[in-house]
Amino acid sequence: MKKLFNSKEAMADDMIDGFVAAYPETVTRGAHPRIVRRTVRKNAGKVSLLIGNGSGHEPIAMGFVGKGLLDGNVVGDVFAAPSADLILEGLRDLTGEAGTVLLISRHEGDVINGMEAAMLASEEGLNVAPLWMYDDISSAPKGEEEERRGAAGTMFIYKILGAAAEEGMPLDRLVALGEAIRGATRTLGAAMSSGISPLTGKAMFSLPEDEVFIGMGVHGEPGVARRKVEPVSDLVAFMVDALLEDRAIEAGTPTIAIVNGSGGTTMMELLTVYRELARQMESRGIPLTSPMIGNFSTTQETAAFSISLMTPDAEMLSLWRAPQASPHFPVIGRGAA
């Protein structure tokens, strides 16, 4: 597959150049060229939200920098976590008196480099609290949630903590809120065909034409099971059963869903998935509200999707619906519940 780039070495930097040129009123480069931060600096009493992650998954997370969301994103190379030194530069750049929550999606490189950066920042006297994010039920069994990968459900944490920080919530309460959101979130994905790595020019996994991967990771990690291609209603029913077996949701509990595409999934397909999801949840008496549907956490042009379910309390739901001003996070409606 043909891809548009000048050189493999410059892909991330050229992308950032284009991003800050397109949205100068919202985002700018920080103290290092790989740091993307809000153009208008936050007030001194606001806790910062920062995340470091590999590029190639856009619009997450760079596209979510803005008022009511992230204060900054440290951008790594394609599919590679930024170094601890680079994340530390981001922490120095953004951390004020109120401190910083360092969001860490649970992948090996992100955890190692993020935790090292947080330790080094603490040694420098910066008030930094790391928060691990994980939600993918396919990556570790029930009861071993802390071993799970971060997936699209981590976007609940971005948005809700971003809104809470904008309202002045202090560092310790933000961390506790993030942990509560994490505990209330579960995600499962399915992949139909692989994207092409811009680094190697090769597919990230192989799959027979008549099969679907269940549980593919955001870097093309193999799924945990395969199913024959079937009507989407049957596939979604299987996925909902797995999600609710991992974490039951009582009838009558308002639930937020994210239907996330991996880059090569059309809006027609994603809305069809949401239709089947809504039917499955309605049959169980579980009302869906304020959904998020689209290609947000991507793996190049991979044809895949995931379903994330989160049961918010009243505060979480209000913060999820709160306005934000980032280039690529969608407007969240009020929904039916």
Side-chain angles (χ1 to χ4, degrees), residues 112 125 221 234 272 284 302 312 336:
I112 292 171
E221 299 96 333
D234 294 337
T272 301
R284 295 164 169 80
T302 297

mmCIF file of all heavy atoms in Angstrom, residues 112 125 221 234 272 284 302 312 336:
data_model
loop_
_atom_site.group_PDB
_atom_site.id
_atom_site.type_symbol
_atom_site.label_atom_id
_atom_site.label_comp_id
_atom_site.label_asym_id
_atom_site.label_seq_id
_atom_site.Cartn_x
_atom_site.Cartn_y
_atom_site.Cartn_z
ATOM 1 N N ILE A 112 7.385 1.711 31.328
ATOM 2 C CA ILE A 112 8.786 1.838 31.757
ATOM 3 C C ILE A 112 9.253 3.288 31.655
ATOM 4 O O ILE A 112 9.793 3.862 32.613
ATOM 5 C CB ILE A 112 9.693 0.911 30.924
ATOM 6 C CG1 ILE A 112 9.390 -0.552 31.240
ATOM 7 C CG2 ILE A 112 11.175 1.219 31.184
ATOM 8 C CD1 ILE A 112 10.084 -1.540 30.324
ATOM 9 N N GLY A 125 11.628 17.836 42.327
ATOM 10 C CA GLY A 125 10.687 18.624 43.109
ATOM 11 C C GLY A 125 9.377 18.911 42.406
ATOM 12 O O GLY A 125 8.566 19.711 42.913
ATOM 13 N N GLU A 221 -1.017 -6.289 17.808
ATOM 14 C CA GLU A 221 -0.765 -7.523 18.552
ATOM 15 C C GLU A 221 -1.866 -8.536 18.227
ATOM 16 O O GLU A 221 -3.031 -8.167 18.091
ATOM 17 C CB GLU A 221 -0.753 -7.262 20.061
ATOM 18 C CG GLU A 221 0.318 -6.297 20.528
ATOM 19 C CD GLU A 221 -0.183 -4.881 20.660
ATOM 20 O OE1 GLU A 221 -1.139 -4.520 19.940
ATOM 21 O OE2 GLU A 221 0.376 -4.133 21.472
ATOM 22 N N ASP A 234 -24.418 -10.915 15.087
ATOM 23 C CA ASP A 234 -23.899 -12.046 15.863
ATOM 24 C C ASP A 234 -22.548 -11.706 16.494
ATOM 25 O O ASP A 234 -22.277 -12.081 17.644
ATOM 26 C CB ASP A 234 -23.746 -13.276 14.960
ATOM 27 C CG ASP A 234 -25.077 -13.804 14.452
ATOM 28 O OD1 ASP A 234 -26.107 -13.527 15.103
ATOM 29 O OD2 ASP A 234 -25.099 -14.479 13.414
ATOM 30 N N THR A 272 -23.449 0.913 12.168
ATOM 31 C CA THR A 272 -24.143 -0.378 12.194
ATOM 32 C C THR A 272 -23.784 -1.148 13.456
ATOM 33 O O THR A 272 -24.656 -1.770 14.094
ATOM 34 C CB THR A 272 -23.784 -1.195 10.941
ATOM 35 O OG1 THR A 272 -24.160 -0.461 9.776
ATOM 36 C CG2 THR A 272 -24.489 -2.540 10.939
ATOM 37 N N ARG A 284 -31.262 -6.174 27.440
ATOM 38 C CA ARG A 284 -30.873 -6.442 28.821
ATOM 39 C C ARG A 284 -31.347 -5.351 29.781
ATOM 40 O O ARG A 284 -31.015 -5.379 30.958
ATOM 41 C CB ARG A 284 -29.343 -6.578 28.913
ATOM 42 C CG ARG A 284 -28.782 -7.772 28.150
ATOM 43 C CD ARG A 284 -27.288 -7.632 27.945
ATOM 44 N NE ARG A 284 -26.645 -8.846 27.453
ATOM 45 C CZ ARG A 284 -26.641 -9.242 26.185
ATOM 46 N NH1 ARG A 284 -27.254 -8.512 25.266
ATOM 47 N NH2 ARG A 284 -26.031 -10.355 25.825
ATOM 48 N N THR A 302 -5.942 -0.105 9.575
ATOM 49 C CA THR A 302 -6.465 -1.388 10.036
ATOM 50 C C THR A 302 -7.994 -1.379 10.025
ATOM 51 O O THR A 302 -8.624 -0.451 10.526
ATOM 52 C CB THR A 302 -5.958 -1.698 11.450
ATOM 53 O OG1 THR A 302 -4.532 -1.814 11.418
ATOM 54 C CG2 THR A 302 -6.560 -2.989 11.983
ATOM 55 N N PRO A 312 -20.960 5.436 34.330
ATOM 56 C CA PRO A 312 -20.561 6.632 35.067
ATOM 57 C C PRO A 312 -21.493 6.922 36.239
ATOM 58 O O PRO A 312 -22.681 6.570 36.206
ATOM 59 C CB PRO A 312 -20.707 7.723 34.006
ATOM 60 C CG PRO A 312 -21.886 7.257 33.191
ATOM 61 C CD PRO A 312 -21.776 5.751 33.158
ATOM 62 N N ALA A 336 -29.859 9.392 25.128
ATOM 63 C CA ALA A 336 -31.249 9.094 25.500
ATOM 64 C C ALA A 336 -31.468 8.993 26.987
ATOM 65 O O ALA A 336 -32.563 9.230 27.485
ATOM 66 C CB ALA A 336 -31.676 7.789 24.827
#
